Amino acid sequence: QVQVVESGGGLVQPGDSLRLSCAASGFTLEYYAIGWFRQAPGKEREGVSCVSASEDDTYTADSVKGRFTISRDNAKNTVYLQMNSLKPEDTGVYTCAAVYRARYYGCLSGSWSYWGKGTLVTVSS
């Protein structure tokens, strides 16, 4: 069964760090682009950070640039989102998505094939 499963969310204070994981099963992650998206309460889903299969194309939203870093460990079939200096406005459900490399047209293109169910990140004092 092809799926991606997120983990690592939780409740943290402003300024803290979290690392989210996106574990792939049923397919070989190294051939796929992976993206992280988030949806805050009452807001539309937004693209946070994406990386192509070859890692030569990455996208990071301006709102998290300099604080969030996406990385992939193909040996573990896992992609990570390292989130530092978290702010209350980073609160939301974080979801990862995957698409085969030949069908990747950019983070915000809407071409994603597989979606996880999300993990909740709450940043609050």
Side-chain angles (χ1 to χ4, degrees):
Q1 183 180 1
V2 174
Q3 60 179 355
V4 289
V5 179
E6 306 90 342
S7 62
L11 171 63
V12 296
Q13 294 187 339
D16 285 352
S17 297
L18 273 178
R19 188 177 77 161
L20 304 183
S21 299
C22 173
S25 61
F27 64 97
T28 304
L29 189 67
E30 67 179 300
Y31 302 127
Y32 285 73
I34 297 291
W36 282 100
F37 299 81
R38 70 183 180 189
Q39 187 165 20
K43 294 187 177 181
E44 293 188 355
R45 185 172 63 198
E46 64 172 333
V48 176
S49 189
C50 301
V51 60
S52 64
S54 60
E55 299 186 69
D56 61 351
D57 179 9
T58 60
Y59 167 87
T60 303
D62 288 342
S63 57
V64 304
K65 201 164 288 185
R67 300 188 297 121
F68 290 13
T69 303
I70 191 170
S71 63
R72 55 195 304 151
D73 186 340
N74 291 333
K76 295 183 178 180
N77 237 31
T78 301
V79 173
Y80 304 99
L81 184 67
Q82 179 66 44
M83 307 187 296
N84 299 328
S85 302
L86 282 161
K87 304 175 181 180
E89 51 264 42
D90 294 319
T91 294
V93 176
Y94 285 70
T95 305
C96 69
V99 65
Y100 185 66
R101 58 190 176 185
R103 300 190 183 97
Y104 178 60
Y105 302 111
C107 192
L108 307 180
S109 67
S111 60
W112 303 95
S113 299
Y114 308 115
W115 291 86
K117 295 182 178 180
T119 184
L120 177 62
V121 173
T122 304
V123 185
S124 175
S125 55

